[in-house]
Amino acid sequence: MKSAFNKMLGATMILGASFFAQGALAQSANCSYSISNEWNTGATGAITITNTSTTAINGWTVGWQYATNRLSSSWNANVSGSNPYSATNLGWNGSISPGQSVSFGFQIDKRGGSAERPTITGSICGGATSSVATTSSSVPASSAPASSVPASSSSVAVSSARSSVASSVTTGQQCNWYGTLYPLCATTQSGWGYENNKSCISRATCTSQPAPYGVVGGASSAALSSSSVASSSSVASSLALSSSSIPSSSSTPSSVARSSSSVAVSSSSIASSSIASSVASSVNGVSLKALADFPIGVAVRAGSEADSILNSAQQKAVLVQHFDQITAENIMKMSYVHPSEATFSFANADALIEFARQNGASVHAHALIWHEDYQVPSFMKSYSGDFPAMLKTHVQTIASHFSGKVVSWDVVNEAIAENSDSSAVNGFRNSVFYQKMGVNFIDQAFIWADEADPVADLYYNDFNTETNDAKTTRLLALIDGMKTRGVPIDGVGFQMHVLPDWPSIANIEASFRAVAQRGLKVKITELDVRVNNKYNSSAPVYTSLTPAAAAAQSERYRQIVAAYLRAVPAAQRGGITVWGMWDAQSWFAKDPDWPLLFDNSFQPKPALQGFANGLTGQ
Ligand code: G3I
């Protein structure tokens, strides 16, 4: 079980009748429970609260109870209790405007029964309560939705997604963009737009997608144009997103998610936007961290940096929803924590680590030794004393300070030379560390770090090592030598600042596999996927993130994540960290490029969907 649920349980809540008092009076909502995917032993789903009143809902609490099933994890709400359960909003999803929906997701253990669809209670649910079965016909017959709907619910099985859309959708339309919902632009005529402080997609661009994607919801969907049929099948594919906390071995095949032939809608009292809000609920319910049994990390800024996550509610919300590990993009580098020989400066890093702890994220620390000129403290560059002793003090003072607070370290970063490096020595970068200590500085750094922090995983980290070429060969020779010498290395970090078409997935996979076969952990430490390849004059040049570029990038993310899962055994997965949260934060933003998972409004890009699909094996 993911720890997120335990953390949520830790946020103790008061149960009882008075508990549901908030949000009563003039406010009313349709509270629905839906199953988005089901397999032999469990299921995933979402609870959606749709504000059917004319005033905003500010804060909500709902409750439900199973006969046999039990929750095994949840996301996007504070859930407490152990049947009955109750859930309250998080800081960022408590407010629901009239006509809008909020949803949170969960996974259940069926405990030998079928997937139940309990009634949702709570004074906020003054409108209708409902249960919605959205599993498809390829779910095993023993758990077919129609037969598993409790007799008490007024369910009506509708055998076609097409007719369920027609019968239920009357609210505004959205664009299902390769499985992620975006607002349709009101005024932008083509491409992507930015309206009402959000990214949006023009109708023309949205409808230019291949089936099954396109415009979903709204009155025109009910007209049952061919695109609305496509939309209904995309409902199923989107729904699959929230199901991937299912272990891949037991998950239903993607055909379940993609099938649209038999969507059962189990309540006649579903709000008019049921299908649209089901899509929205499952897409909004995606949580990358809930889909993986290994850390999903993000590089963040803090301290005196612009865009510190400590001052950004938006970043914090994205962090809490999707990531359970952070790396300081900069503030734990050498010059930040050890600016002069006698000065160690830990306050900013300590504050970030405490912030991570409070938000359910562990810390992968970066980096004890890095050659980069402007990150090597000036005093080290001109050091005339005992260099190894000085470096040992550096490593051990820092590693000791953070011992118990970080789970892993990039101990040495980028020591292997690039293939094109004419100043390389024996295949290594001719850094100040190499000049002073030869290649021995690498072994020593790991030995010192291990003495200071015997618990943290210790990684060698580098870029362009996922190429399966000469640099990868030098990497393998280095780690083979370290293992032979008994150096305490736990894993290899692949930075993975990749181009849209390079390295090939086959080479990436082979590189991961070669390290994994040596018994080491493999961690993707700095993932970003550019849409431009400025080194290839025949590659397309994007001056904005066009739909085609976004779709290709999404697919590239999917393939990389899938390759990681194929090549690295579960016990050796150190995790995947993306190098920044939103596009403008990327070190490639100025190129220009758009390499990350969220746009500049912190809205998920198709890339997020690709990442999620990679995790779920779709
Ligand atoms: O915060 C200061 C700001 O106060 C000042 O006005 C401004 C002026 O240049 O600089 C700001 O600091 C910059 C910092 O990023 C934060 O934006 C530094 O100059 C700039 O050098 C620094 O760049 C970082 C770079 O490492 C060098 O440390 C990038 O953000 C960071 O993404 C990049 O990360 C590296 C990994 O550590 C190792 N692998 C490669 C990766 C990309 O280069």
Side-chain angles (χ1 to χ4, degrees):
M1 184 190 303
K2 290 289 292 181
S3 59
F5 182 56
N6 295 332
K7 286 173 205 145
M8 288 173 181
L9 286 177
T12 310
M13 301 174 63
I14 304 163
L15 292 168
S18 62
F19 186 69
F20 298 116
Q22 75 175 63
L25 306 174
Q27 296 176 333
S28 70
N30 177 319
C31 302
S32 69
Y33 182 109
S34 63
I35 294 294
S36 54
N37 203 356
E38 185 175 353
W39 60 102
N40 288 344
T41 57
T44 52
I47 291 173
T48 300
I49 305 162
T50 302
N51 185 349
T52 54
S53 70
T54 54
T55 57
I57 291 171
N58 291 306
W60 45 263
T61 298
V62 295
W64 71 101
Q65 185 167 9
Y66 299 109
T68 305
N69 299 170
R70 293 293 183 271
L71 278 190
S72 49
S73 65
S74 64
W75 48 94
N76 291 348
N78 272 319
V79 176
S80 68
S82 51
N83 201 42
Y85 299 96
S86 59
T88 57
N89 59 279
L90 300 176
W92 53 272
N93 64 1
S95 180
I96 315 175
S97 301
Q100 298 299 305
S101 299
V102 157
S103 68
F104 60 94
F106 53 82
Q107 180 171 327
I108 57 169
D109 178 348
K110 294 199 300 189
R111 295 196 166 194
S114 57
E116 298 167 38
R117 292 166 177 83
T119 298
I120 305 304
T121 59
S123 60
I124 201 70
C125 305
T129 59
S130 63
S131 57
V132 183
T134 51
T135 41
S136 77
S137 59
S138 43
V139 170
S142 62
S143 57
S147 64
S148 62
V149 174
S152 59
S153 75
S154 56
S155 27
V156 178
V158 182
S159 62
S160 140
R162 168 190 282 242
S163 57
S164 66
V165 171
S167 65
S168 61
V169 176
T170 58
T171 56
Q173 295 178 312
Q174 292 177 288
C175 179
N176 182 339
W177 180 252
Y178 292 99
T180 300
L181 282 185
Y182 283 87
L184 273 177
C185 299
T187 56
T188 305
Q189 297 298 310
S190 65
W192 289 65
Y194 188 74
E195 299 175 4
N196 298 320
N197 295 320
K198 283 187 173 156
S199 292
C200 58
I201 302 177
S202 66
R203 181 174 295 275
T205 294
C206 185
T207 53
S208 70
Q209 294 172 89
Y213 307 107
V215 175
V216 293
S220 68
S221 291
L224 289 178
S225 64
S226 58
S227 69
S228 69
V229 175
S231 301
S232 61
S233 63
S234 68
V235 169
S237 72
S238 296
L239 288 169
L241 277 175
S242 57
S243 69
S244 12
S245 35
I246 308 160
S248 54
S249 59
S250 61
S251 62
T252 48
S254 58
S255 60
V256 171
R258 302 274 172 208
S259 168
S260 63
S261 61
S262 175
V263 175
V265 178
S266 65
S267 171
S268 56
S269 59
I270 299 169
S272 57
S273 60
S274 66
I275 293 298
S277 64
S278 293
V279 176
S281 71
S282 57
V283 172
N284 292 337
V286 170
S287 165
L288 286 184
K289 67 184 181 183
L291 307 184
D293 290 330
F294 48 81
I296 301 293
V298 60
V300 298
R301 294 183 179 165
S304 59
E305 291 184 292
D307 301 322
S308 165
I309 193 171
L310 275 63
N311 306 323
S312 168
Q314 286 174 304
Q315 288 185 59
K316 180 178 169 181
V318 174
L319 174 77
V320 168
Q321 180 170 1
H322 290 285
F323 301 101
D324 52 16
Q325 186 166 92
I326 63 160
T327 300
E329 184 182 358
N330 289 305
I331 69 158
M332 293 180 74
K333 291 173 178 171
M334 306 176 80
S335 61
Y336 288 78
V337 294
H338 193 185
S340 67
E341 186 172 9
T343 309
F344 288 88
S345 179
F346 296 131
N348 288 335
D350 286 345
L352 177 60
I353 291 169
E354 174 58 15
F355 173 86
R357 191 191 64 76
Q358 288 177 2
N359 290 288
S362 61
V363 176
H364 171 73
H366 172 83
L368 286 170
I369 295 180
W370 187 28
H371 73 91
E372 192 68 58
D373 186 56
Y374 41 80
Q375 294 300 348
V376 178
S378 326
F379 81 91
M380 282 191 194
K381 295 178 196 167
S382 54
Y383 200 73
S384 57
D386 183 340
F387 194 91
M390 179 276 294
L391 197 61
K392 178 178 181 180
T393 299
H394 166 84
V395 167
Q396 295 205 321
T397 304
I398 297 169
S400 297
H401 177 84
F402 293 112
S403 177
K405 300 176 187 169
V406 303
V407 296
S408 47
W409 268 105
D410 290 333
V411 177
V412 175
N413 192 35
E414 303 175 3
I416 299 170
E418 280 284 87
N419 295 338
S420 57
D421 185 350
S422 56
S423 63
V425 190
N426 299 322
F428 289 94
R429 189 183 296 278
N430 193 14
S431 66
V432 63
F433 310 106
Y434 193 94
Q435 290 165 14
K436 297 286 188 180
M437 296 176 64
V439 70
N440 193 41
F441 88 87
I442 302 174
D443 284 8
Q444 285 302 323
F446 279 81
I447 293 166
W448 295 330
D450 185 56
E451 289 171 358
D453 185 347
V455 174
D457 280 344
L458 304 180
Y459 284 87
Y460 174 79
N461 193 50
D462 215 325
F463 66 97
N464 288 355
T465 42
E466 70 281 7
T467 47
N468 198 31
D469 66 3
K471 188 166 183 182
T472 314
T473 302
R474 291 197 292 281
L475 167 73
L476 299 176
L478 171 67
I479 62 176
D480 284 345
M482 292 172 77
K483 284 171 65 73
T484 301
R485 295 188 293 275
V487 175
I489 179 173
D490 296 295
V492 168
F494 289 87
Q495 292 186 9
M496 297 283 294
H497 300 292
V498 299
L499 291 161
D501 52 357
W502 182 91
S504 70
I505 292 298
N507 281 332
I508 291 170
E509 184 171 343
S511 304
F512 292 163
R513 203 178 288 282
V515 170
Q517 284 170 344
R518 285 161 165 79
L520 292 178
K521 291 189 175 180
V522 175
K523 186 174 180 68
I524 298 180
T525 51
E526 305 182 14
L527 180 62
D528 47 35
V529 177
R530 278 162 281 177
V531 303
N532 283 315
N533 182 349
K534 62 184 180 185
Y535 308 104
N536 178 355
S537 57
S538 59
V541 177
Y542 295 106
T543 54
S544 65
L545 185 67
T546 67
Q553 181 185 51
S554 174
E555 174 60 8
R556 180 86 161 139
Y557 266 105
R558 184 192 71 76
Q559 291 186 6
I560 289 168
V561 173
Y564 180 76
L565 295 182
R566 282 195 302 272
V568 185
Q572 291 167 253
R573 293 175 189 154
I576 303 178
T577 290
V578 286
W579 201 240
M581 188 179 283
W582 73 105
D583 280 338
Q585 185 196 353
S586 169
W587 65 304
F588 290 118
K590 61 184 183 317
D591 275 7
D593 214 302
W594 304 266
L596 300 173
L597 302 180
F598 292 84
D599 69 16
N600 294 345
S601 315
F602 297 92
Q603 295 299 306
K605 294 166 54 188
L608 181 77
Q609 180 88 28
F611 196 126
N613 287 349
L615 289 172
T616 60
Q618 294 184 65

